[in-house]
Amino acid sequence: MSEATIINPDLNFVNEIIKGGGESLKKCYQCATCSVVCNVTPEGNPFPRKEMVLAQWGQKDKLIASPDVWLCHQCSDCTAYCPRGAKPGEVLNAIRKQSIKEVALVPFFAKIATDPKLIWLLFAIPAVLFYLIMPYKSFSGVPRNAEGAMAYHLFMPVFPHIDVTFILTALFAAVSAFVGITRLWSGMKANTGDAAGSGSPFSHIVPAVTTILAHKKFADCNVNRLRQWGHLLLFYSFAGLAVVTTWAIVYLYGWEFLGIKAFGPFHFGESPYPMTDPVKMLALASSVAFALGITIILLNRLGKAAKAGMGSYFDWIFLLVVIGVGATGMASWGLRIADMEIGYFVYYIHLVFVWSLFAYAPYSKFAHLFYRTTAMVFARYSGREATK
Ligand code: SF4
Ligand code: SF4
């Protein structure tokens, strides 16, 4: 006679999923349509049907470090075709939120980044931080540069104020992400019975990253095809803005410490730089890509809400921060050109948003960048996904 399996459901976990956007969870009757229509799932290891039943049964340990939960790209094909109106795409998203909280280096940060009741604290921390380090505790009457123009580096000096704050923030985010990735990897190995790996995990990083850079998995989606373009534009606009930031640092420190003077179109020295400078052109191109990408994502999400779901606070707070970074960045640039001192306040809000984006990255929806990459590497390494 076969032995009975005792299931110990974690009801708190079920409630957290329901609260986190997975309220349709209980509707699932295990028909498996979702696993059939999902084009992202690896052959032989289909999801999300099994995740739905595991979530109903409160099997937290099996889901928190499941590679399949992270392989889902939330394209919502499954949600659109579910005959019961369950939303597996949203349920898996809610499970990923729990996974982020579980592997977090600082659980308190994960709580701030995911709990709508703590939205005030999410922004209050950087708002107080930047107010405390502001040399002038005022948003007007700030000294002007030699040409008599507004200059944000005189309002908030690049060194040490901006540099030290953001270097420490980046270090915190990097350590948090590293610890989270390590914990997720160990959990996935334990969950899949320490699956025999093919080669070194490192040998699978380049193919996984190449897939991400080309957004190949998003291209497999049917219901949310436009999302691929919105995501792609946003992804590369961030990459462009990261290059712009590094470039500006090279200009400033190259001039200040190495004495490099402006030559050709390259304006080594303090900002602001003219529009003819390549760094300015890249900044403009990235900003346009950013605005387009975010518009596509928003219109797509609102337009497909009936079929694909509206998303949860977890999605919207991340979008709000991303939009906040872009909108305040562009507004502060425009206000400086228009010589309007309200620009100092807008720039201050911009710093609050930028800090929130980076500091909470391993604790917010942004963490998908690290953890989905980890799952994709693991899927290849463990043989869960074909490596072609
Ligand atoms: S989520 Fe919907 S499609 Fe998937 S198994 Fe459940 S009822 Fe079927
Ligand atoms: S949301 Fe898309 S990727 Fe995720 S399980 Fe559903 S169909 Fe598959």
Side-chain angles (χ1 to χ4, degrees):
M1 211 171 96
S2 61
E3 283 185 27
T5 304
I6 297 171
I7 305 257
N8 289 317
D10 184 331
L11 295 181
N12 192 37
F13 178 67
V14 178
N15 285 334
E16 286 296 326
I17 292 175
I18 290 171
K19 274 198 293 179
E23 54 280 339
S24 60
L25 172 66
K26 295 281 169 69
K27 291 183 179 173
C28 172
Y29 61 3
Q30 289 292 300
C31 69
T33 305
C34 49
S35 294
V36 174
V37 298
C38 177
N39 289 325
V40 176
T41 183
E43 274 180 43
N45 288 298
F47 60 80
R49 182 207 58 80
K50 68 179 182 308
E51 283 68 26
M52 292 299 278
V53 74
L54 287 172
Q56 285 178 338
W57 290 348
Q59 297 301 285
K60 178 179 173 183
D61 293 344
K62 288 202 166 64
L63 289 170
I64 282 301
S66 155
D68 294 350
V69 164
W70 281 102
L71 291 180
C72 164
H73 279 54
Q74 209 178 345
C75 69
S76 302
D77 285 359
C78 54
T79 296
Y81 288 100
C82 172
R84 286 279 292 159
K87 296 186 170 79
E90 307 266 295
V91 172
L92 262 62
N93 189 37
I95 298 171
R96 287 193 290 273
K97 185 177 105 174
Q98 293 307 312
S99 178
I100 289 170
K101 287 165 90 171
E102 205 66 27
V103 300
L105 172 65
V106 185
F108 180 61
F109 257 59
K111 189 159 174 56
I112 296 174
T114 54
D115 187 343
K117 290 200 285 298
L118 295 177
I119 187 170
W120 63 273
L121 188 55
L122 183 131
F123 293 118
I125 292 173
V128 170
L129 171 72
F130 283 109
Y131 189 77
L132 287 176
I133 65 171
M134 267 168 62
Y136 308 96
K137 302 289 182 240
S138 164
F139 299 104
S140 62
V142 176
R144 295 180 166 242
N145 68 11
E147 288 81 44
M150 281 172 65
Y152 291 131
H153 67 270
L154 296 176
F155 166 70
M156 187 76 82
V158 175
F159 186 85
H161 300 65
I162 299 278
D163 283 357
V164 172
T165 305
F166 280 101
I167 287 171
L168 292 178
T169 304
L171 271 176
F172 169 69
V175 172
S176 298
F178 177 76
V179 170
I181 288 169
T182 313
R183 288 179 178 168
L184 184 64
W185 185 273
S186 309
M188 287 190 300
K189 280 189 93 169
N191 241 341
T192 51
D194 208 3
S198 85
S200 146
F202 296 103
S203 66
H204 298 286
I205 292 177
V206 171
V209 170
T210 309
T211 304
I212 292 165
L213 291 179
H215 276 47
K216 283 185 195 156
K217 294 283 179 187
F218 283 99
D220 291 336
C221 301
N222 287 320
V223 172
N224 252 337
R225 270 195 186 284
L226 254 186
R227 188 161 165 262
Q228 180 192 10
W229 293 106
H231 214 274
L232 203 62
L233 282 164
L234 204 56
F235 185 87
Y236 281 103
S237 70
F238 268 112
L241 291 170
V243 173
V244 166
T245 308
T246 314
W247 198 328
I249 291 170
V250 170
Y251 268 3
L252 182 63
Y253 290 159
W255 165 74
E256 203 166 290
F257 298 121
L258 303 174
I260 303 174
K261 295 206 168 64
F263 62 93
F266 305 106
H267 293 80
F268 278 81
E270 288 180 341
S271 65
Y273 310 115
M275 281 313 296
T276 48
D277 194 295
V279 74
K280 210 73 185 202
M281 292 183 203
L282 180 60
L284 188 63
S286 304
S287 302
V288 171
F290 175 88
L292 265 177
I294 207 77
T295 306
I296 291 174
I297 287 176
L298 277 179
L299 291 180
N300 190 50
R301 190 170 274 278
L302 295 172
K304 298 267 168 55
K307 269 189 164 185
M310 258 310 268
S312 62
Y313 172 78
F314 184 51
D315 303 282
W316 285 102
I317 186 64
F318 176 64
L319 273 180
L320 173 73
V321 171
V322 169
I323 292 169
V325 169
T328 54
M330 286 184 239
S332 51
W333 177 48
L335 290 167
R336 185 184 56 73
I337 290 171
D339 199 35
M340 296 173 75
E341 288 208 330
I342 183 83
Y344 291 121
F345 180 69
V346 175
Y347 180 64
Y348 163 79
I349 300 293
H350 178 63
L351 293 176
V352 168
F353 276 119
V354 175
W355 189 91
S356 303
L357 185 69
F358 289 108
Y360 298 118
Y363 304 99
S364 67
K365 181 98 183 179
F366 203 140
H368 280 61
L369 184 65
F370 321 119
Y371 299 147
R372 184 172 286 140
T373 308
T374 306
M376 288 169 79
V377 171
F378 184 83
R380 298 177 64 88
Y381 165 73
S382 63
R384 200 163 193 78
E385 188 161 48
T387 53
K388 340 184 249 271

